[in-house]
Amino acid sequence: MRFMVFVRSPKPMAALNGDALLRAGVLLDAGDLVPDALGVSGYWLIDVRDHEEAVERIRRIPLPACVVEIRQVAVV
């Protein structure tokens, strides 16, 4: 299953550590979104077994003062 992980951070996304997802072989894509009034946003597209695994992998990444949203991507 694929999940889009949106991260809103007070720091640039480059400062956040998504390397663990890459090393685990689950990271399909990553990028920064246009900054807005609430801060810097970015995303990770990951391919994992289920929602619980997605949540567990994201919990392992230090994301201080970040807002994280995980959504399943419909594959058609």
Side-chain angles (χ1 to χ4, degrees):
M1 301 176 109
R2 291 184 178 177
F3 292 89
M4 183 72 71
V5 181
F6 295 99
V7 182
R8 188 173 313 154
S9 170
K11 297 186 212 174
M13 287 299 292
L16 299 178
N17 186 4
D19 294 340
L21 299 172
L22 185 59
R23 284 192 308 272
V26 299
L27 184 66
L28 299 176
D29 192 22
D32 291 328
L33 302 174
V34 177
D36 63 9
L38 299 175
V40 179
S41 296
Y43 70 90
W44 294 314
L45 179 63
I46 60 174
D47 189 10
V48 293
R49 189 176 49 253
D50 53 27
H51 186 264
E52 289 77 22
E53 182 181 356
V55 170
E56 181 57 36
R57 289 193 180 276
I58 300 306
R59 280 188 178 154
R60 293 180 197 160
I61 300 171
L63 298 169
C66 293
V67 175
V68 178
E69 182 179 351
I70 301 173
R71 294 233 181 143
Q72 186 174 353
V73 175
V75 178
V76 287

